[in-house]
PDB file of all heavy atoms in Angstrom:
ATOM      1  N   ASP A 268      22.609  -7.192   5.823  1.00 54.00           N
ATOM      2  CA  ASP A 268      22.549  -7.835   4.539  1.00 54.00           C
ATOM      3  C   ASP A 268      21.219  -8.526   4.383  1.00 54.00           C
ATOM      4  O   ASP A 268      20.685  -9.055   5.383  1.00 54.00           O
ATOM      5  CB  ASP A 268      23.678  -8.848   4.377  1.00 54.00           C
ATOM      6  CG  ASP A 268      25.058  -8.163   4.389  1.00 54.00           C
ATOM      7  OD1 ASP A 268      25.104  -7.013   3.962  1.00 54.00           O
ATOM      8  OD2 ASP A 268      26.022  -8.798   4.831  1.00 54.00           O
ATOM      9  N   GLY A 271      18.413 -13.528   2.519  1.00 47.00           N
ATOM     10  CA  GLY A 271      18.614 -14.557   1.526  1.00 47.00           C
ATOM     11  C   GLY A 271      19.986 -14.546   0.928  1.00 47.00           C
ATOM     12  O   GLY A 271      20.403 -15.462   0.253  1.00 47.00           O
ATOM     13  N   ARG A 272      20.792 -13.447   1.198  1.00 46.00           N
ATOM     14  CA  ARG A 272      22.131 -13.342   0.643  1.00 46.00           C
ATOM     15  C   ARG A 272      23.194 -13.840   1.586  1.00 46.00           C
ATOM     16  O   ARG A 272      24.369 -13.845   1.242  1.00 46.00           O
ATOM     17  CB  ARG A 272      22.416 -11.902   0.235  1.00 46.00           C
ATOM     18  CG  ARG A 272      21.535 -11.453  -0.912  1.00 46.00           C
ATOM     19  CD  ARG A 272      21.782 -10.000  -1.257  1.00 46.00           C
ATOM     20  NE  ARG A 272      20.892  -9.533  -2.273  1.00 46.00           N
ATOM     21  CZ  ARG A 272      20.822  -8.276  -2.667  1.00 46.00           C
ATOM     22  NH1 ARG A 272      21.546  -7.349  -2.091  1.00 46.00           N
ATOM     23  NH2 ARG A 272      19.965  -7.916  -3.625  1.00 46.00           N
ATOM     24  N   ARG A 273      22.822 -14.154   2.806  1.00 44.00           N
ATOM     25  CA  ARG A 273      23.806 -14.749   3.700  1.00 44.00           C
ATOM     26  C   ARG A 273      23.876 -16.197   3.386  1.00 44.00           C
ATOM     27  O   ARG A 273      23.042 -17.000   3.760  1.00 44.00           O
ATOM     28  CB  ARG A 273      23.346 -14.564   5.148  1.00 44.00           C
ATOM     29  CG  ARG A 273      23.323 -13.153   5.639  1.00 44.00           C
ATOM     30  CD  ARG A 273      23.291 -13.156   7.151  1.00 44.00           C
ATOM     31  NE  ARG A 273      22.888 -11.848   7.632  1.00 44.00           N
ATOM     32  CZ  ARG A 273      21.648 -11.577   8.045  1.00 44.00           C
ATOM     33  NH1 ARG A 273      20.730 -12.548   7.992  1.00 44.00           N
ATOM     34  NH2 ARG A 273      21.324 -10.407   8.458  1.00 44.00           N
ATOM     35  N   CYS A 274      24.873 -16.563   2.645  1.00 41.00           N
ATOM     36  CA  CYS A 274      24.917 -17.953   2.192  1.00 41.00           C
ATOM     37  C   CYS A 274      26.277 -18.546   2.509  1.00 41.00           C
ATOM     38  O   CYS A 274      27.254 -17.864   2.734  1.00 41.00           O
ATOM     39  CB  CYS A 274      24.611 -18.085   0.703  1.00 41.00           C
ATOM     40  SG  CYS A 274      25.528 -16.888  -0.269  1.00 41.00           S
ATOM     41  N   GLY A 275      26.303 -19.800   2.547  1.00 40.00           N
ATOM     42  CA  GLY A 275      27.489 -20.581   2.802  1.00 40.00           C
ATOM     43  C   GLY A 275      27.191 -21.978   2.395  1.00 40.00           C
ATOM     44  O   GLY A 275      26.248 -22.259   1.667  1.00 40.00           O
ATOM     45  N   ARG A 279      21.315 -21.039   0.199  1.00 42.00           N
ATOM     46  CA  ARG A 279      21.077 -20.596  -1.151  1.00 42.00           C
ATOM     47  C   ARG A 279      21.116 -19.078  -1.181  1.00 42.00           C
ATOM     48  O   ARG A 279      20.552 -18.405  -0.354  1.00 42.00           O
ATOM     49  CB  ARG A 279      19.708 -21.094  -1.626  1.00 42.00           C
ATOM     50  CG  ARG A 279      19.458 -20.772  -3.093  1.00 42.00           C
ATOM     51  CD  ARG A 279      18.046 -21.269  -3.460  1.00 42.00           C
ATOM     52  NE  ARG A 279      17.777 -21.055  -4.874  1.00 42.00           N
ATOM     53  CZ  ARG A 279      18.101 -21.851  -5.844  1.00 42.00           C
ATOM     54  NH1 ARG A 279      18.729 -22.966  -5.545  1.00 42.00           N
ATOM     55  NH2 ARG A 279      17.811 -21.558  -7.092  1.00 42.00           N
ATOM     56  N   SER A 280      21.767 -18.514  -2.196  1.00 41.00           N
ATOM     57  CA  SER A 280      21.816 -17.089  -2.289  1.00 41.00           C
ATOM     58  C   SER A 280      20.584 -16.546  -2.968  1.00 41.00           C
ATOM     59  O   SER A 280      19.842 -17.252  -3.635  1.00 41.00           O
ATOM     60  CB  SER A 280      23.084 -16.656  -3.121  1.00 41.00           C
ATOM     61  OG  SER A 280      22.895 -17.044  -4.472  1.00 41.00           O
ATOM     62  N   ALA A 281      20.351 -15.242  -2.784  1.00 39.00           N
ATOM     63  CA  ALA A 281      19.169 -14.591  -3.392  1.00 39.00           C
ATOM     64  C   ALA A 281      19.273 -14.492  -4.896  1.00 39.00           C
ATOM     65  O   ALA A 281      18.310 -14.397  -5.596  1.00 39.00           O
ATOM     66  CB  ALA A 281      18.949 -13.207  -2.772  1.00 39.00           C
ATOM     67  N   ALA A 282      20.511 -14.520  -5.425  1.00 38.00           N
ATOM     68  CA  ALA A 282      20.671 -14.405  -6.866  1.00 38.00           C
ATOM     69  C   ALA A 282      20.297 -15.691  -7.581  1.00 38.00           C
ATOM     70  O   ALA A 282      20.229 -15.737  -8.809  1.00 38.00           O
ATOM     71  CB  ALA A 282      22.142 -14.038  -7.167  1.00 38.00           C
ATOM     72  N   SER A 284      22.080 -18.476  -7.622  1.00 38.00           N
ATOM     73  CA  SER A 284      23.214 -19.276  -7.978  1.00 38.00           C
ATOM     74  C   SER A 284      24.072 -19.480  -6.736  1.00 38.00           C
ATOM     75  O   SER A 284      23.975 -18.767  -5.749  1.00 38.00           O
ATOM     76  CB  SER A 284      24.060 -18.635  -9.086  1.00 38.00           C
ATOM     77  OG  SER A 284      24.501 -17.356  -8.612  1.00 38.00           O
ATOM     78  N   GLY A 285      24.951 -20.419  -6.781  1.00 40.00           N
ATOM     79  CA  GLY A 285      25.845 -20.622  -5.661  1.00 40.00           C
ATOM     80  C   GLY A 285      25.490 -21.891  -4.933  1.00 40.00           C
ATOM     81  O   GLY A 285      25.394 -22.959  -5.524  1.00 40.00           O
ATOM     82  N   CYS A 286      25.265 -21.738  -3.629  1.00 43.00           N
ATOM     83  CA  CYS A 286      25.137 -22.906  -2.808  1.00 43.00           C
ATOM     84  C   CYS A 286      23.765 -23.539  -3.014  1.00 43.00           C
ATOM     85  O   CYS A 286      22.797 -22.894  -3.229  1.00 43.00           O
ATOM     86  CB  CYS A 286      25.272 -22.513  -1.325  1.00 43.00           C
ATOM     87  SG  CYS A 286      26.623 -21.386  -1.057  1.00 43.00           S
ATOM     88  N   GLY A 298      38.872 -27.445  -5.401  1.00 41.00           N
ATOM     89  CA  GLY A 298      39.057 -26.461  -6.458  1.00 41.00           C
ATOM     90  C   GLY A 298      37.858 -25.636  -6.788  1.00 41.00           C
ATOM     91  O   GLY A 298      37.888 -24.870  -7.740  1.00 41.00           O
ATOM     92  N   SER A 299      36.772 -25.804  -6.036  1.00 40.00           N
ATOM     93  CA  SER A 299      35.546 -25.014  -6.281  1.00 40.00           C
ATOM     94  C   SER A 299      35.205 -24.239  -5.012  1.00 40.00           C
ATOM     95  O   SER A 299      35.578 -24.633  -3.911  1.00 40.00           O
ATOM     96  CB  SER A 299      34.378 -25.939  -6.675  1.00 40.00           C
ATOM     97  OG  SER A 299      34.053 -26.791  -5.578  1.00 40.00           O
ATOM     98  N   SER A 300      34.500 -23.156  -5.239  1.00 38.00           N
ATOM     99  CA  SER A 300      34.048 -22.310  -4.134  1.00 38.00           C
ATOM    100  C   SER A 300      32.601 -22.657  -3.841  1.00 38.00           C
ATOM    101  O   SER A 300      31.810 -22.879  -4.745  1.00 38.00           O
ATOM    102  CB  SER A 300      34.190 -20.835  -4.491  1.00 38.00           C
ATOM    103  OG  SER A 300      33.582 -20.019  -3.497  1.00 38.00           O
ATOM    104  N   PRO A 301      32.190 -22.657  -2.548  1.00 40.00           N
ATOM    105  CA  PRO A 301      30.802 -22.963  -2.244  1.00 40.00           C
ATOM    106  C   PRO A 301      29.857 -21.903  -2.769  1.00 40.00           C
ATOM    107  O   PRO A 301      28.666 -22.153  -2.936  1.00 40.00           O
ATOM    108  CB  PRO A 301      30.783 -23.009  -0.694  1.00 40.00           C
ATOM    109  CG  PRO A 301      31.957 -22.251  -0.273  1.00 40.00           C
ATOM    110  CD  PRO A 301      32.992 -22.444  -1.339  1.00 40.00           C
ATOM    111  N   CYS A 302      30.330 -20.688  -3.006  1.00 44.00           N
ATOM    112  CA  CYS A 302      29.499 -19.607  -3.512  1.00 44.00           C
ATOM    113  C   CYS A 302      30.130 -19.112  -4.820  1.00 44.00           C
ATOM    114  O   CYS A 302      31.238 -18.672  -4.845  1.00 44.00           O
ATOM    115  CB  CYS A 302      29.408 -18.444  -2.527  1.00 44.00           C
ATOM    116  SG  CYS A 302      28.833 -18.962  -0.917  1.00 44.00           S
ATOM    117  N   THR A 303      29.386 -19.201  -5.912  1.00 40.00           N
ATOM    118  CA  THR A 303      29.940 -18.908  -7.208  1.00 40.00           C
ATOM    119  C   THR A 303      29.686 -17.493  -7.665  1.00 40.00           C
ATOM    120  O   THR A 303      30.464 -16.949  -8.450  1.00 40.00           O
ATOM    121  CB  THR A 303      29.335 -19.868  -8.253  1.00 40.00           C
ATOM    122  OG1 THR A 303      27.905 -19.728  -8.221  1.00 40.00           O
ATOM    123  CG2 THR A 303      29.712 -21.308  -7.950  1.00 40.00           C
ATOM    124  N   SER A 304      28.613 -16.826  -7.174  1.00 41.00           N
ATOM    125  CA  SER A 304      28.364 -15.477  -7.635  1.00 41.00           C
ATOM    126  C   SER A 304      29.198 -14.485  -6.910  1.00 41.00           C
ATOM    127  O   SER A 304      29.640 -14.723  -5.758  1.00 41.00           O
ATOM    128  CB  SER A 304      26.845 -15.156  -7.415  1.00 41.00           C
ATOM    129  OG  SER A 304      26.558 -15.130  -6.047  1.00 41.00           O
ATOM    130  N   ARG A 305      29.493 -13.351  -7.527  1.00 44.00           N
ATOM    131  CA  ARG A 305      30.355 -12.324  -6.909  1.00 44.00           C
ATOM    132  C   ARG A 305      29.711 -11.781  -5.660  1.00 44.00           C
ATOM    133  O   ARG A 305      30.385 -11.599  -4.637  1.00 44.00           O
ATOM    134  CB  ARG A 305      30.616 -11.200  -7.929  1.00 44.00           C
ATOM    135  CG  ARG A 305      31.578 -10.147  -7.400  1.00 44.00           C
ATOM    136  CD  ARG A 305      31.764  -9.046  -8.461  1.00 44.00           C
ATOM    137  NE  ARG A 305      32.209  -9.615  -9.723  1.00 44.00           N
ATOM    138  CZ  ARG A 305      32.336  -8.871 -10.822  1.00 44.00           C
ATOM    139  NH1 ARG A 305      32.042  -7.603 -10.799  1.00 44.00           N
ATOM    140  NH2 ARG A 305      32.775  -9.457 -11.948  1.00 44.00           N
ATOM    141  N   ARG A 306      28.440 -11.497  -5.708  1.00 41.00           N
ATOM    142  CA  ARG A 306      27.730 -10.959  -4.509  1.00 41.00           C
ATOM    143  C   ARG A 306      27.738 -11.967  -3.404  1.00 41.00           C
ATOM    144  O   ARG A 306      27.897 -11.641  -2.236  1.00 41.00           O
ATOM    145  CB  ARG A 306      26.299 -10.610  -4.930  1.00 41.00           C
ATOM    146  CG  ARG A 306      25.479 -10.058  -3.787  1.00 41.00           C
ATOM    147  CD  ARG A 306      24.064  -9.823  -4.229  1.00 41.00           C
ATOM    148  NE  ARG A 306      24.004  -8.817  -5.283  1.00 41.00           N
ATOM    149  CZ  ARG A 306      22.906  -8.558  -5.976  1.00 41.00           C
ATOM    150  NH1 ARG A 306      21.779  -9.196  -5.693  1.00 41.00           N
ATOM    151  NH2 ARG A 306      22.892  -7.660  -6.938  1.00 41.00           N
ATOM    152  N   CYS A 307      27.579 -13.238  -3.720  1.00 43.00           N
ATOM    153  CA  CYS A 307      27.540 -14.283  -2.724  1.00 43.00           C
ATOM    154  C   CYS A 307      28.890 -14.437  -2.044  1.00 43.00           C
ATOM    155  O   CYS A 307      29.010 -14.618  -0.852  1.00 43.00           O
ATOM    156  CB  CYS A 307      27.083 -15.586  -3.357  1.00 43.00           C
ATOM    157  SG  CYS A 307      26.768 -16.892  -2.183  1.00 43.00           S
ATOM    158  N   ARG A 308      29.978 -14.338  -2.841  1.00 42.00           N
ATOM    159  CA  ARG A 308      31.326 -14.466  -2.281  1.00 42.00           C
ATOM    160  C   ARG A 308      31.628 -13.352  -1.317  1.00 42.00           C
ATOM    161  O   ARG A 308      32.279 -13.531  -0.302  1.00 42.00           O
ATOM    162  CB  ARG A 308      32.362 -14.523  -3.380  1.00 42.00           C
ATOM    163  CG  ARG A 308      32.380 -15.850  -4.194  1.00 42.00           C
ATOM    164  CD  ARG A 308      33.688 -15.970  -4.950  1.00 42.00           C
ATOM    165  NE  ARG A 308      33.869 -14.916  -5.936  1.00 42.00           N
ATOM    166  CZ  ARG A 308      33.437 -14.978  -7.184  1.00 42.00           C
ATOM    167  NH1 ARG A 308      32.815 -16.058  -7.599  1.00 42.00           N
ATOM    168  NH2 ARG A 308      33.666 -13.961  -8.008  1.00 42.00           N
ATOM    169  N   ARG A 309      31.141 -12.113  -1.635  1.00 43.00           N
ATOM    170  CA  ARG A 309      31.380 -11.014  -0.734  1.00 43.00           C
ATOM    171  C   ARG A 309      30.710 -11.202   0.594  1.00 43.00           C
ATOM    172  O   ARG A 309      31.219 -10.866   1.668  1.00 43.00           O
ATOM    173  CB  ARG A 309      30.921  -9.688  -1.377  1.00 43.00           C
ATOM    174  CG  ARG A 309      31.836  -9.189  -2.460  1.00 43.00           C
ATOM    175  CD  ARG A 309      31.604  -7.710  -2.705  1.00 43.00           C
ATOM    176  NE  ARG A 309      30.210  -7.419  -2.962  1.00 43.00           N
ATOM    177  CZ  ARG A 309      29.726  -7.285  -4.205  1.00 43.00           C
ATOM    178  NH1 ARG A 309      30.510  -7.459  -5.268  1.00 43.00           N
ATOM    179  NH2 ARG A 309      28.463  -7.014  -4.399  1.00 43.00           N
ATOM    180  N   SER A 310      29.461 -11.690   0.576  1.00 40.00           N
ATOM    181  CA  SER A 310      28.695 -11.879   1.838  1.00 40.00           C
ATOM    182  C   SER A 310      29.234 -13.011   2.670  1.00 40.00           C
ATOM    183  O   SER A 310      28.947 -13.067   3.845  1.00 40.00           O
ATOM    184  CB  SER A 310      27.225 -12.075   1.528  1.00 40.00           C
ATOM    185  OG  SER A 310      27.065 -13.267   0.799  1.00 40.00           O
ATOM    186  N   CYS A 311      29.976 -13.968   2.091  1.00 41.00           N
ATOM    187  CA  CYS A 311      30.483 -15.101   2.828  1.00 41.00           C
ATOM    188  C   CYS A 311      31.842 -14.837   3.433  1.00 41.00           C
ATOM    189  O   CYS A 311      32.385 -15.699   4.094  1.00 41.00           O
ATOM    190  CB  CYS A 311      30.522 -16.331   1.936  1.00 41.00           C
ATOM    191  SG  CYS A 311      28.895 -16.978   1.546  1.00 41.00           S
ATOM    192  N   ARG A 312      32.439 -13.701   3.132  1.00 43.00           N
ATOM    193  CA  ARG A 312      33.779 -13.421   3.688  1.00 43.00           C
ATOM    194  C   ARG A 312      33.697 -13.182   5.188  1.00 43.00           C
ATOM    195  O   ARG A 312      32.780 -12.552   5.633  1.00 43.00           O
ATOM    196  CB  ARG A 312      34.396 -12.236   2.976  1.00 43.00           C
ATOM    197  CG  ARG A 312      34.768 -12.572   1.533  1.00 43.00           C
ATOM    198  CD  ARG A 312      35.318 -11.293   0.821  1.00 43.00           C
ATOM    199  NE  ARG A 312      35.617 -11.580  -0.578  1.00 43.00           N
ATOM    200  CZ  ARG A 312      35.945 -10.667  -1.459  1.00 43.00           C
ATOM    201  NH1 ARG A 312      36.063  -9.387  -1.079  1.00 43.00           N
ATOM    202  NH2 ARG A 312      36.249 -10.992  -2.683  1.00 43.00           N
TER     203      ARG A 312
END
Side-chain angles (χ1 to χ4, degrees):
D268 295 331
R272 293 177 184 174
R273 293 197 198 101
C274 46
R279 185 181 183 87
S280 68
S284 60
C286 316
S299 65
S300 172
C302 305
T303 57
S304 66
R305 183 181 304 174
R306 179 183 299 172
C307 189
R308 287 198 299 269
R309 285 201 305 264
S310 62
C311 289
R312 290 177 183 173

